[in-house]
Amino acid sequence: NLSNKFQEVFKKLKGKGKLTEEDVNLALREVRIALLEADVNFQVVKDFIAKVKEKAVGHEVLESLTPGQQVIKIVHEELINLMGKTNAKLNDAGSPPTIIMLVGLQGAGKTTTAAKLAHFLKKQGKKPLLVAADIYRPAAIKQLQVLGDAIDVPVFTMGEQSPVDIAKASINFAKSNLKNYVIIDTAGRLHINEELMDELKKIKEEVSPHEILLVVDAMTGQDAVNVAKSFNEELGLTGVILTKLDGDTKGGAALSVKAVTGCPIKFAGMGEKIENLEPFYPDRMASRILG
Amino acid sequence: VLKKSTVDEESFEKIEEILIEGDVGVKPSLELVEKLRKTAREQRITDSEQLKQVLKEEILKILETGDNKLKNVARTPLVILVVGVNGVGKTTTIGKLAYYFKQQGKQVLLAAGDTFRAAAIEQLEIWGNRVGCQVIKQKEGSDPAAVAFDAVKAAIARKIDVLIIDTAGRLHTKTNLMEELRKVKRVVERELPGAPDEVLLVLDATTGQNAFSQVEYFNKALDLTGLVLTKLDGTAKGGVIIGIKSSYQIPIKFIGVGEKMDDLRPFDPQEFVEALFA
Ligand SMILES: Nc1nc2c(ncn2[C@@H]2O[C@H](COP(=O)(O)OP(=O)(O)OP(=O)(O)O)[C@@H](O)[C@H]2O)c(=O)[nH]1
Ligand SMILES: Nc1nc2c(ncn2[C@@H]2O[C@H](COP(=O)(O)OP(=O)(O)OP(=O)(O)O)[C@@H](O)[C@H]2O)c(=O)[nH]1
Ligand SMILES: [Mg+2]
Ligand SMILES: [Mg+2]
């Protein structure tokens, strides 16, 4: 891991006083490699390293630390700074229902996460409604229905009608049935598919979601910036959910997505079961990326 | 992409950037660039177009070794086990493979080995319907090995040419789930010696360096015979397969380029390398 790599690099340095530019450059070379191997985007790494260098050169080395440890400490703090605070709150509408829309690439975990969010809200005493707006993927509607059944949350469906009409009708249904949260599951799509991105824009226009959450697979590599940037530019995201963090991926995509959109990562998917949704903890993520 | 026409230090840095941004990974990128520097010195390369060409050839050397085709076995059925982490495109790839074999006039049978995920069996059944082949299934929650057993028996009895077994997505670090896959493989082997003829790991082209860990664990557990790289119709380059190929020598047999049944292609190293630098 990074601290071990640093022990090697800094064995020769004496380590009293302030961090020299030379110390910092040496350390940051290792940090850069660690971040890239953790899948943080190339450009994001470049900007991040530059920022850390500014903070680190001339910085006091604390009595209890070696220069390498001091640099890691600055890097760690800067990572947490960049990733924001824990923010597992969903925007609340002035008057119900609060409308949440989940978007993202194919297979990221939207449908599963929709059910997890519904379960999360139900536990808080809310009355969620799941909306099956994926009319393309084989058995997508069935998938959401099976999940909804398991947690006793109703699933609104109109079969294979237009997702825009489904979303619109679901809001009326929610209002007449006193559901205060509407969670719209959409079909996975490529950010470069104009037609499908337009469909999302139309849904947004029709129902004005209070939350548009990008669901991102934690093992996503360099492409995370392209995806996050496009979805954000086209729709205006309000947050991100990172899934499949129960694996051994370092999850550098978290940093890339935050850096390029500025959106808070609100939740972490930590498994396939319905209760495997946790608030996102930036400090844990920072340690994981650097680990 | 390489704006200047002459070769200098910046050219090598730019190349390293392209490789890393293509998910080739730090170490494999550095190794490729080192080889490139050496060749550039030896051949006195001064033109950046020529430099790019040499790099492409270096990568092709890695990707073109070995045989990237599906196994051809004398007996039927040919049995293909499809595995991989969650959401990478296994079930869709099986639908596409079924179509691919049907186009060749083969009799195909599918096994709904994902007995865990919501509507997984229904999803595969829809593919079976679309392509025109049967699906062997049991109740949700049943033992995947039992489904595989039934499927092999049925494939033999019905004189099927190709049997493709779907499995539930699972993270490679979940030991009990990896053990479940080993059991499926053992059951198939017992019923039909030599089978499964192919154990294909499906990798998502948007995946970063974690792909190496996936290959490591799945290979250790099952002895992979091939890789399928999906979602190459997006903007991700799938560069991880370069390092994976040179470290594991597992052939990349197919790529997925969309969600429709004909969006499957045999892996073409030339095409792949061109796309990496597009
Ligand atoms: N291990 C793990 N698996 C997850 C997690 N979230 C989702 N999955 C799995 O990932 C796979 C894909 O999940 P889906 O919910 O179908 O993904 P999706 O984004 O709706 O897929 P499309 O609708 O096809 O775009 C399923 O096997 C899920 O069980 C997670 O946090 N951890
Ligand atoms: N654009 C694109 N999408 C793909 C490709 N292959 C699969 N998909 C999509 O990826 C999503 C997940 O595909 P599945 O076949 O359900 O993936 P899986 O690996 O079986 O998922 P689990 O069984 O849940 O682990 C679906 O929306 C597919 O349509 C591809 O090559 N390109
Ligand atoms: Mg879905
Ligand atoms: Mg599947």
Side-chain angles (χ1 to χ4, degrees):
Chain A
N1 64 22
L2 195 60
S3 351
N4 292 341
K5 286 209 199 108
F6 272 27
Q7 312 284 39
E8 292 302 304
V9 168
F10 283 93
K11 259 205 300 249
K12 321 178 188 84
L13 297 184
K14 294 293 180 349
K16 278 294 172 282
K18 296 182 198 263
L19 289 170
T20 67
E21 179 158 5
E22 200 179 344
D23 295 339
V24 171
N25 280 338
L26 212 62
L28 290 185
R29 224 177 20 231
E30 293 302 321
V31 173
R32 176 178 173 269
I33 292 174
L35 292 176
L36 289 173
E37 288 184 335
D39 288 323
V40 182
N41 177 267
F42 188 93
Q43 206 47 55
V44 171
V45 171
K46 212 169 178 188
D47 298 340
F48 179 80
I49 295 290
K51 214 185 246 126
V52 171
K53 181 168 176 184
E54 247 180 69
K55 293 225 160 116
V57 177
H59 198 284
E60 289 290 340
V61 181
L62 294 181
E63 276 294 328
S64 51
L65 303 178
T66 65
Q69 287 168 337
Q70 183 62 59
V71 174
I72 294 186
K73 186 164 185 297
I74 296 171
V75 170
H76 196 103
E77 286 166 358
E78 202 46 38
L79 267 181
I80 295 176
N81 237 347
L82 218 170
M83 286 208 281
K85 308 204 168 35
T86 293
N87 177 6
K89 293 205 185 59
L90 294 165
N91 293 341
D92 210 316
S95 64
T98 299
I99 303 164
I100 301 166
M101 185 174 154
L102 296 185
V103 301
L105 293 183
Q106 291 89 345
K110 298 173 292 301
T111 305
T112 310
T113 302
K116 289 178 179 180
L117 276 176
H119 178 67
F120 173 81
L121 289 166
K122 190 156 188 212
K123 285 210 309 239
Q124 294 181 346
K126 310 280 200 267
K127 301 201 186 67
L129 173 71
L130 285 165
V131 180
D134 178 356
I135 61 166
Y136 309 104
R137 169 173 154 153
I141 297 171
K142 186 94 219 290
Q143 184 185 5
L144 196 61
Q145 285 173 326
V146 170
L147 291 172
D149 274 350
I151 55 173
D152 194 26
V153 169
V155 175
F156 181 85
T157 169
M158 274 168 39
E160 295 179 10
Q161 310 249 349
S162 112
V164 183
D165 292 340
I166 295 171
K168 203 165 162 204
S170 75
I171 308 305
N172 295 327
F173 181 88
K175 289 184 177 152
S176 352
N177 289 277
L178 305 180
K179 300 297 176 195
N180 49 23
Y181 274 86
V182 174
I183 303 167
I184 305 172
D185 179 25
T186 66
R189 68 204 64 214
L190 296 178
H191 49 298
I192 53 174
N193 185 321
E194 287 196 26
E195 195 179 339
L196 287 181
M197 291 306 285
D198 267 351
E199 176 185 276
L200 289 181
K201 287 199 209 132
K202 289 206 191 81
I203 296 178
K204 178 185 180 179
E205 263 173 60
E206 272 309 323
V207 306
S208 304
H210 304 92
E211 288 274 6
I212 300 182
L213 303 174
L214 180 68
V215 178
V216 177
D217 191 322
M219 55 188 176
T220 308
Q222 297 288 311
D223 200 43
V225 279
N226 302 327
V227 178
K229 203 154 174 244
S230 296
F231 273 92
N232 195 31
E233 282 172 6
E234 303 279 342
L235 298 172
L237 303 170
T238 61
V240 173
I241 299 181
L242 209 60
T243 60
K244 307 177 203 173
L245 272 169
D246 44 317
D248 63 349
T249 187
K250 291 275 167 65
L255 189 63
S256 305
V257 169
K258 183 73 188 5
V260 89
T261 65
C263 295
I265 301 174
K266 299 202 169 191
F267 294 96
M270 295 293 296
E272 298 194 63
K273 305 218 177 71
I274 215 84
E275 52 274 356
N276 296 145
L277 186 74
E278 297 180 7
F280 177 76
Y281 299 109
D283 50 347
R284 285 187 207 173
M285 197 70 217
S287 308
R288 179 179 182 137
I289 289 176
L290 285 182
Chain B
V1 129
L2 284 178
K3 297 214 184 69
K4 298 214 225 69
S5 60
T6 53
V7 171
D8 55 14
E9 184 50 33
E10 200 185 320
S11 317
F12 293 105
E13 288 181 0
K14 191 64 194 158
I15 283 176
E16 188 187 332
E17 180 174 343
I18 292 170
L19 292 174
I20 291 179
E21 286 184 331
D23 283 320
V24 173
V26 176
K27 286 201 185 65
S29 298
L30 288 178
E31 287 177 12
L32 282 169
V33 171
E34 272 325 294
K35 272 209 199 89
L36 192 62
R37 278 183 208 276
K38 183 159 177 283
T39 307
R41 271 198 308 273
E42 290 171 356
Q43 297 184 10
R44 301 170 192 271
I45 296 177
T46 53
D47 173 52
S48 73
E49 268 313 306
Q50 208 187 338
L51 189 69
K52 215 159 91 185
Q53 203 45 44
V54 171
L55 177 64
K56 287 182 186 176
E57 285 162 15
E58 273 307 320
I59 298 173
L60 276 175
K61 275 201 212 127
I62 297 169
L63 297 179
E64 283 177 338
T65 60
D67 166 28
N68 289 334
K69 302 208 184 52
L70 273 182
K71 215 187 235 165
N72 231 332
V73 291
R75 56 124 169 90
T76 52
L78 174 80
V79 181
I80 302 174
L81 181 64
V82 178
V83 302
V85 304
N86 308 74
V88 294
K90 298 177 292 299
T91 306
T92 307
T93 297
I94 289 171
K96 295 173 183 177
L97 279 171
Y99 177 72
Y100 171 82
F101 288 119
K102 290 284 297 198
Q103 293 297 90
Q104 297 176 355
K106 303 236 167 86
Q107 295 275 39
V108 181
L109 182 66
L110 305 181
D114 180 351
T115 56
F116 169 75
R117 206 209 68 212
I121 297 171
E122 288 85 338
Q123 183 185 6
L124 190 67
E125 284 187 302
I126 292 174
W127 275 107
N129 265 318
R130 284 181 179 178
V131 170
C133 63
Q134 302 262 324
V135 178
I136 298 294
K137 61 175 179 171
Q138 285 184 15
K139 284 205 331 279
E140 186 177 314
S142 32
D143 182 356
V147 179
F149 176 86
D150 275 0
V152 174
K153 280 245 156 331
I156 294 168
R158 300 180 200 181
K159 308 238 189 316
I160 290 292
D161 297 310
V162 186
L163 166 65
I164 314 174
I165 305 172
D166 192 10
T167 61
R170 70 206 63 218
L171 294 182
H172 46 295
T173 44
K174 311 222 161 152
T175 323
N176 56 329
L177 296 182
M178 294 305 284
E179 192 46 43
E180 178 184 85
L181 273 186
R182 286 166 56 80
K183 181 173 171 211
V184 170
K185 186 179 180 199
R186 272 199 306 276
V187 164
V188 170
E189 267 167 346
R190 229 178 23 225
E191 270 326 291
L192 187 63
D197 305 287
E198 292 277 0
V199 179
L200 301 179
L201 175 67
V202 179
L203 290 176
D204 186 328
T206 65
T207 301
Q209 300 308 301
N210 193 248
F212 284 87
S213 187
Q214 294 174 27
V215 173
E216 174 69 22
Y217 280 71
F218 275 95
N219 192 41
K220 247 209 187 81
L222 303 168
D223 252 322
L224 302 172
T225 64
L227 305 175
V228 178
L229 188 64
T230 61
K231 308 181 196 172
L232 273 173
D233 47 318
T235 51
K237 305 286 184 171
V240 288
I241 60 150
I242 297 171
I244 287 170
K245 181 84 202 289
S246 70
S247 301
Y248 293 91
Q249 288 308 326
I250 300 170
I252 301 105
K253 304 219 168 181
F254 293 99
I255 62 170
V257 292
E259 305 187 69
K260 303 198 299 300
M261 68 177 109
D262 55 357
D263 287 329
L264 183 78
R265 296 191 200 146
F267 176 64
D268 181 340
Q270 294 264 357
E271 229 175 42
F272 180 84
V273 172
E274 286 304 324
L276 185 58
F277 291 98

